Amino acid sequence: MNLIAQLEAEQIASLGKTIPDFKPGDTVRVGYKVTEGTRTRVQMYEGVCISRKHGKGIAGSFTVRKISFGEGVERVFPLFSTNIESIEVVRRGRVRRAKMYYLRARRGKSARIAEDTTYKALKTKNAGADA
Amino acid sequence: MMRSGVIAKKIGMTRLFMEDGKQIPVTVLQLDNLQVVAQRTNDQHGYTAVQLGAGNAKVKRVSQAMRGHFAVAKVEPKRKVVEFRVAPENLIEVGEEIIADHYFEGQFVDVSGITIGKGFAGGMKRHNFGGLRATHGVSVSHRSHGSTGQCQNPGKVFKGKKMAGHMGSVRVTTQNLQVVRTDSDRGIIMIKGAVPGPKGSWVTVKDAVKKPAPENVILPAALMSAKREAMKAAEEAARQAEAEAKAAEDARLAEEAEASIEAEKKEGEE
C-alpha cells in the first residue's frame, strides 16, 4: 500500500463512520449538520441517490436528488464528511445504470423507480448496516 | 534569523476532514534521510549555508567525486543535494538528520519545485490568449495568437513578446502555503493546497519570507539527535517514576505487613 492510500485508510478508520451499502437508484435519508449562529441541528434530506463518484475511499461522494416544492434539487455529499450525522437507506431501487441523470428530464410518473424487492445485502464486513 | 529549509519528496495529494465539517486539500511531502552533507562558512567560502542531502542513491550510480564528498561527511550517498543559506548561528553539524518537526502546524512556508513539463504549447494554453473566432471567415487559425506587433514603425516584434513555446519544467516557488499536519515518525509534512511538480519529485520547503518570523520555530533545526535525546530522557524519567512508584508500593506493603504482624502479636498477647 502506498503512503497516500495508507494515510487515507488511517483517516477513514479514525473518522469511525459506518457507511451503509447503497447505490444509485436507492432512496436515502441523509442527516446533515446545519449551524445556525451558535447552535447546530441535524437537517434531514431525503431523495433518490442518482450517482456515486470516486469509489468508497476518502474522496467518495454521492448525489441526492429530490423534488422540493415542485423544483428539482440536487445535493452532492462527500461520503466521509464530518457534517453528515447519518445515512439511511429508505428504499432499494431496481435500476440498470450507474448514473440516473435521465431523471432530470422527467417528472411525476415517468420519474419513478421500481423497488428492488429481491435485494440481498453484500457479505462484506462493513456493508449493510440497515439492509 | 534565517534557518535552514528542508528537501522533501512530493508523495501526492489527498484531503483531510476536520471536526468542524471543513475539508482541506493537502499535499503530502516526505522527508527521506535528510542529512547535512556539508557546511559553508564565512572563513572558507565567504557566506554561511548548509548543504543538505536527501534520499538514497545507489553507490554505483554516484560519481567518484560525489562519493568522496559524501565520504568526507560520513553519510550515505544522497539522491538530491541542495544548499540553504542560513545565519551563522544557525549552522548545523555535518551528519545531523533533520526531522519533520522542523515545521509546526499552522506555519506558513514557501515551496519550490520544478513544474510538470508541457512541451511546446500554443499561446492559448501557455499565456491564456483568447484565440481567434470560430466563424466570421477565420480559417485554420482558431487557436493562433493573432497580431504580434504594430506596423513599419517599429517594424519588429518586441523582445519578450508572449508567443507559443516551451511550457513547464521551470522552477516555481509557491509562497505562503500553510502547514496542516506533521508526523515526525514517518517524516510527513502535509501542506494545504498544491505544490509545484509531479509526484515523486523533489521540492524544497522554507519558512515563508513574506510572513513575520514565527517565534516558536526550532533553531537551528529539528534534529533527529535531539529527538532521540528527548526520547531517552522521557524513558529515563518514566523508568525513574516507575522505580519510585515501586519503592513506595514496597514500603507500603512492608508497613502493612509489619502492622499486621504487630496486630497478630497483640492478639496473641491478649
Side-chain angles (χ1 to χ4, degrees):
Chain A
M1 195 146 66
N2 67 31
L3 190 56
I4 293 282
Q6 205 177 323
L7 289 170
E8 286 179 353
E10 273 169 30
Q11 208 195 157
I12 288 173
S14 74
L15 287 170
K17 286 188 175 258
T18 46
I19 309 289
D21 157 47
F22 69 101
K23 58 184 199 331
D26 295 351
T27 305
V28 291
R29 186 185 291 140
V30 182
Y32 196 76
K33 281 185 212 156
V34 182
T35 309
E36 289 164 335
T38 52
R39 54 182 227 94
T40 58
R41 62 186 182 85
V42 177
Q43 194 179 51
M44 285 297 173
Y45 184 88
E46 187 179 325
V48 180
C49 171
I50 61 166
S51 90
R52 284 196 57 170
K53 280 185 170 180
H54 313 305
K56 289 176 180 168
I58 196 82
S61 68
F62 60 99
T63 309
V64 181
R65 177 182 172 86
K66 74 166 180 179
I67 308 291
S68 173
F69 300 107
E71 193 67 39
V73 177
E74 281 178 20
R75 278 182 82 169
V76 184
F77 297 101
L79 210 50
F80 286 96
S81 170
T82 40
N83 274 336
I84 290 182
E85 187 87 356
S86 63
I87 305 172
E88 215 182 299
V89 182
V90 180
R91 183 173 177 270
R92 304 278 174 186
R94 201 190 74 83
V95 293
R96 296 169 67 160
R97 56 206 73 224
K99 302 282 186 276
M100 314 300 297
Y101 296 147
Y102 69 89
L103 290 177
R104 289 169 178 167
R106 296 197 186 173
R107 274 294 155 86
K109 223 174 186 179
S110 63
R112 287 174 306 176
I113 290 172
E115 184 157 6
D116 185 7
T117 48
T118 58
Y119 173 79
K120 281 200 192 94
L122 292 173
K123 276 185 183 169
T124 53
K125 57 184 174 185
N126 58 351
D130 56 352
Chain B
M1 288 299 273
M2 202 157 48
R3 64 167 189 157
S4 172
V6 300
I7 314 169
K9 189 184 248 176
K10 179 171 167 178
I11 302 294
M13 290 190 75
T14 180
R15 67 178 82 191
L16 295 178
F17 284 97
M18 293 297 161
E19 279 305 308
D20 58 356
K22 288 208 175 85
Q23 300 174 56
I24 299 181
V26 291
T27 308
V28 181
L29 304 179
Q30 192 176 34
L31 307 187
D32 184 9
N33 280 326
L34 182 65
Q35 276 181 301
V36 180
V37 175
Q39 283 186 349
R40 301 275 179 260
T41 54
N42 253 329
D43 306 342
Q44 275 184 30
H45 309 92
Y47 67 101
T48 50
V50 288
Q51 190 186 59
L52 303 186
N56 285 322
K58 270 190 183 170
V59 177
K60 68 171 183 182
R61 291 188 191 148
V62 177
S63 73
Q64 204 58 255
M66 284 313 283
R67 275 185 222 175
H69 184 62
F70 290 126
V72 168
K74 296 202 177 74
V75 296
E76 297 272 300
K78 301 290 181 187
R79 275 295 275 282
K80 177 80 178 172
V81 175
V82 177
E83 218 174 273
F84 291 94
R85 292 291 289 264
V86 298
E89 67 269 23
N90 286 338
L91 278 172
I92 312 164
E93 290 300 312
V94 170
E96 290 276 16
E97 189 176 343
I98 298 181
I99 56 173
D101 288 338
H102 197 61
Y103 298 102
F104 61 88
E105 285 168 24
Q107 190 187 348
F108 287 95
V109 292
D110 297 341
V111 182
S112 309
I114 310 287
T115 57
I116 298 172
K118 305 288 180 190
F120 190 98
M124 285 179 76
K125 181 170 177 154
R126 193 172 179 219
H127 302 297
N128 294 327
F129 286 173
L132 268 49
R133 296 213 273 190
T135 59
H136 288 273
V138 177
S139 68
V140 192
S141 52
H142 301 283
R143 290 181 64 87
S144 71
H145 49 56
S147 168
T148 56
Q150 297 78 28
C151 205
Q152 189 175 14
N153 189 16
K156 61 172 182 177
V157 176
F158 289 123
K159 286 245 170 80
K161 175 85 202 91
K162 286 177 182 172
M163 287 197 201
H166 189 273
M167 183 179 174
S169 47
V170 287
R171 186 185 147 91
V172 166
T173 304
T174 311
Q175 292 182 321
N176 302 332
L177 294 171
Q178 204 167 15
V179 177
V180 181
R181 204 169 280 179
T182 59
D183 178 351
S184 67
D185 295 334
R186 284 185 288 190
I188 289 172
I189 303 174
M190 289 189 186
I191 286 176
K192 184 176 174 179
V195 155
K199 286 180 206 169
S201 65
W202 296 104
V203 297
T204 60
V205 186
K206 288 181 186 174
D207 297 337
V209 289
K210 287 193 179 164
K211 297 275 180 192
E215 307 242 311
N216 46 348
V217 292
I218 303 167
L219 290 174
L223 299 174
M224 194 59 163
S225 57
K227 191 189 171 188
R228 282 211 190 99
E229 246 164 56
M231 268 166 71
K232 213 181 268 178
E235 243 170 57
E236 194 68 31
R239 206 176 301 143
Q240 214 157 12
E242 205 174 286
E244 266 171 31
K246 204 175 177 194
E249 183 76 18
D250 283 349
R252 196 177 61 81
L253 282 178
E255 239 169 59
E256 263 176 27
E258 255 172 47
S260 63
I261 288 166
E262 266 174 35
E264 265 171 35
K265 263 187 194 170
K266 266 184 193 171
E267 263 173 35
E269 276 167 22
E270 277 167 18

